[in-house]
Amino acid sequence: MREMGEKRRRGHLNPAGFAGGLHDHEEKKKNEEHKLDMSGMSMDALPHLTMSLGQVTILDLSNNNLESIPESIIARLLNVVVLDVRSNQLKSLPNSIGCLSKLKVLNVSGNLLESLPNTIEECRALEELHANFNELTKLPDTLGFELHSLRKLSVNSNKLAQLPSSTSHMTALRALDARLNCLRALPDGLENLASLEALNVSQNFQFLRELPYAVGLLASLRELDVSYNSIAALPDSMGCLTKLARFSAVGNPLVSPPMDVVEQGLDAMRAYLTARMNGDDGKRKKKAWLPKLVKYSTFTARMTPGRTRVHENTEGLLMSDYRSLNGIASPRFLTMLSPRRLFSPQRNSPKHC
């Protein structure tokens, strides 16, 4: 206890006993000392500020009626780390925002923005960009080429028809929220987002009709919401999303996998998609010839308690039977077991191809 008390006095432990507590407290206090809070003041325009803005690290202008922010004020915020201008009447952002080289968090949600200035890509330290509830119809095409530190991009409740192709270069991105837009498709190269953990593209309604194969290559993905779109089939590659813990696809006309499979849970959905991915030309082709193999005793399906036998008139297979074919699911073995090879008279010869 004496040693802990000594460390606490030296600033190595916080009151809970964790290292660096005093340092974190001092850092927070330092930021608070350089915070300029002008939120909720019902301002239509910013007053003339004579104070030095170069020391401000946090500027909060939220919940006002601001229609514009002077270029000169933004250009003076050389050390700002957090800029919050949400819930105003802004129709545009000043181009001088590109001067904010230390900016990490930008919140412009709840305004009337139709676009973001191209200079925003100069904010290379940016980690979070919140632009929800605006009138955005597009994002800067080159946004992802420079914002390599961006961890969270939230652009829900806008009018976006697409995300920029450079999105695939945001390799540090962990959360992407693009729900309630008009997205027709997701950008190519999503597989490059190796750190992405949460993806929400729900409620794009009739506009979003399919997901790219690359969605299934997002190895870190834990949460995926594609609800209330017009998606009829999920890509087979989603069977590889082993870390996926939360998934929603309600409100879609899903056929593959059927909604009843999705409702059984993630394991059932992954099993269905994996089985389909392992097929040659899909489930339809297997339906056509697999019952014939059973009929002619080409192979015997092992029956275990609780499993359903495949009858010769069966149109398809239950999932439990489908999984029993893992050993012959590659295209090479499907070709070897095709009806033409197995039942052709020439196959009676012991000669191998």
Side-chain angles (χ1 to χ4, degrees):
M1 293 296 292
R2 180 179 300 176
E3 182 180 356
M4 184 175 291
E6 183 65 23
K7 288 184 178 180
R8 186 178 298 170
R9 284 192 295 272
R10 293 179 182 176
H12 295 298
L13 291 175
N14 61 17
F18 293 100
L22 183 58
H23 174 75
D24 293 341
H25 176 71
E26 290 176 349
E27 186 69 22
K28 183 177 179 180
K29 184 177 180 180
K30 179 181 178 181
N31 287 336
E32 288 177 349
E33 290 174 350
H34 295 98
K35 179 178 180 179
L36 178 57
D37 189 350
M38 302 177 68
S39 62
M41 297 178 65
S42 300
M43 295 183 298
D44 295 323
L46 286 175
H48 179 64
L49 300 175
T50 57
M51 61 179 294
S52 174
L53 297 179
Q55 301 301 316
V56 175
T57 56
I58 300 177
L59 177 58
D60 189 350
L61 299 174
S62 63
N63 296 294
N64 283 292
N65 298 312
L66 299 176
E67 296 184 0
S68 64
I69 300 177
E71 297 270 1
S72 58
I73 289 182
I74 295 297
R76 291 161 59 191
L77 297 169
L78 301 180
N79 290 295
V80 72
V81 176
V82 178
L83 177 58
D84 189 350
V85 295
R86 70 182 189 276
S87 300
N88 279 284
Q89 301 295 317
L90 298 174
K91 295 183 178 180
S92 64
L93 295 177
N95 287 319
S96 56
I97 200 168
C99 299
L100 308 183
S101 60
K102 297 182 179 180
L103 185 66
K104 291 186 177 181
V105 179
L106 175 62
N107 194 334
V108 298
S109 297
N111 282 284
L112 303 173
L113 301 174
E114 295 183 1
S115 63
L116 299 177
N118 291 330
T119 53
I120 198 172
E121 66 185 36
E122 299 297 326
C123 303
R124 293 185 176 88
L126 197 63
E127 295 181 359
E128 295 185 18
L129 174 56
H130 304 268
N132 309 314
F133 294 98
N134 278 284
E135 303 292 328
L136 295 174
T137 56
K138 66 176 183 176
L139 297 175
D141 292 335
T142 57
L143 189 66
F145 292 142
E146 301 295 340
L147 301 184
H148 298 303
S149 298
L150 196 66
R151 295 159 61 92
K152 184 172 185 178
L153 176 60
S154 189
V155 289
N156 74 63
S157 307
N158 281 285
K159 299 178 180 179
L160 297 172
Q162 62 184 11
L163 297 174
S165 58
S166 61
T167 301
S168 61
H169 291 263
M170 300 178 184
T171 53
L173 199 64
R174 291 192 175 184
L176 173 57
D177 183 0
R179 58 191 150 141
L180 283 164
N181 277 283
C182 307
L183 295 181
R184 267 71 172 177
L186 299 185
D188 295 332
L190 282 183
E191 65 273 13
N192 296 327
L193 306 182
S195 300
L196 192 66
E197 297 179 355
L199 174 61
N200 192 333
V201 290
S202 64
Q203 299 175 81
N204 281 277
F205 302 107
Q206 74 271 22
F207 301 104
L208 189 58
R209 297 181 178 274
E210 62 180 2
L211 297 176
Y213 186 88
V215 167
L217 305 180
L218 297 172
S220 299
L221 198 64
R222 297 179 180 275
E223 300 181 18
L224 176 60
D225 192 342
V226 298
S227 56
Y228 297 103
N229 290 301
S230 298
I231 300 171
L234 299 178
D236 299 347
S237 59
M238 284 180 56
C240 300
L241 295 177
T242 57
K243 292 187 178 180
L244 193 65
R246 298 180 60 184
F247 175 71
S248 178
V250 298
N252 282 282
L254 272 182
V255 175
S256 179
M259 187 55 73
D260 59 340
V261 172
V262 176
E263 291 173 351
Q264 292 176 32
L266 283 171
D267 289 340
M269 183 189 75
R270 275 190 289 253
Y272 180 97
L273 294 173
T274 300
R276 194 177 67 178
M277 180 169 53
N278 287 339
D280 184 16
D281 293 329
K283 188 177 178 182
R284 181 186 59 80
K285 185 172 182 179
K286 286 190 176 184
K287 284 182 183 180
W289 62 263
L290 189 55
K292 295 181 181 179
L293 299 184
V294 177
K295 177 179 180 180
Y296 289 99
S297 301
T298 305
F299 72 89
T300 303
R302 291 185 299 172
M303 301 303 296
T304 56
R307 303 186 77 168
T308 304
R309 183 178 299 275
V310 182
H311 299 285
E312 60 183 80
N313 294 325
T314 301
E315 288 294 325
L317 298 174
L318 299 182
M319 277 303 303
S320 55
D321 299 300
Y322 203 65
R323 285 197 295 270
S324 69
L325 299 177
N326 287 338
I328 61 167
S330 68
R332 175 188 174 190
F333 285 104
L334 289 177
T335 303
M336 294 173 62
L337 295 177
S338 68
R340 177 174 296 180
R341 291 179 63 105
L342 291 170
F343 305 124
S344 173
Q346 286 80 0
R347 294 300 103 198
N348 295 328
S349 172
K351 184 179 179 180
H352 296 282
C353 297

